[in-house]
Amino acid sequence: PPEEAVAIGCARHAASVLACPTHSKSIGDSLNGMEGVGPATRKVPLCPLSIGICKIPNDKTNGDLETFISNNAYTLIGIGDALPANVSKCFKFSNGTEGSSIAVVQIQGGAGQKSKVLGNVENIPLDADNFEITMELTTAGKLTVAVNGGPTCKL
């Protein structure tokens, strides 16, 4: 039967991969006499906080901004996402961005983390109702933001 042939092929491929000398020898299981041979594992750094964007009305700058961001922000890079992270997302605002600013924000996550503005996104026309934000966060913590594939802004 075809299912059995696929299973046998998968088992043979797995055995050849596990026998490859480039994989680490950290697993202590015995596989057909190959003691300690297993796939390589590595630790991947994870994002410790959530980062996103928020459309903030110009009259909201002196109010309870932290609560407003927590309730209205769009997360692009979340807590626990693998780094480096590179995310693009299209946004549509029904009445454009006039009378407000688009801010890159840290979104409240775990204990002790507060929502706050990290910087403003530039290069968005006031009458724009559709745009794409690309956000990249490196393992060194460098955040870059681009609008519609244009020049990047480092925060």
Side-chain angles (χ1 to χ4, degrees):
E3 298 86 19
E4 190 175 333
V6 170
I8 292 170
C10 288
R12 286 186 178 171
H13 177 70
S16 68
V17 168
L18 292 174
C20 179
T22 60
H23 289 83
S24 73
K25 297 183 177 187
S26 61
I27 298 177
D29 294 338
S30 176
L31 302 169
N32 293 334
M34 297 184 298
E35 285 288 327
V37 177
T41 59
R42 63 184 176 112
K43 292 184 179 180
V44 176
L46 303 177
C47 186
L49 46 89
S50 290
I51 301 172
I53 69 162
C54 186
K55 179 181 175 186
I56 302 174
N58 290 340
D59 62 355
K60 202 48 124 171
T61 55
N62 294 330
D64 187 12
L65 193 56
E66 182 181 339
T67 302
F68 183 83
I69 291 171
S70 296
N71 293 332
N72 296 287
Y74 298 94
T75 301
L76 285 135
I77 301 172
I79 293 175
D81 286 356
L83 296 179
N86 189 330
V87 180
S88 291
K89 184 168 173 92
C90 291
F91 291 92
K92 179 176 177 75
F93 293 117
S94 58
N95 53 357
T97 60
E98 194 169 343
S100 59
S101 64
I102 304 298
V104 176
V105 294
Q106 172 185 319
I107 304 163
Q108 183 177 353
Q113 288 186 352
K114 295 186 177 191
S115 297
K116 63 182 178 182
V117 175
L118 300 176
N120 286 321
V121 178
E122 306 295 333
N123 306 329
I124 300 176
L126 292 177
D127 60 346
D129 58 354
N130 288 318
F131 54 90
E132 178 184 51
I133 298 281
T134 301
M135 194 175 282
E136 181 177 11
L137 181 63
T138 67
T139 54
K142 296 186 182 200
L143 178 66
T144 57
V145 180
V147 178
N148 294 331
T152 60
C153 171
K154 293 183 180 183
L155 300 175

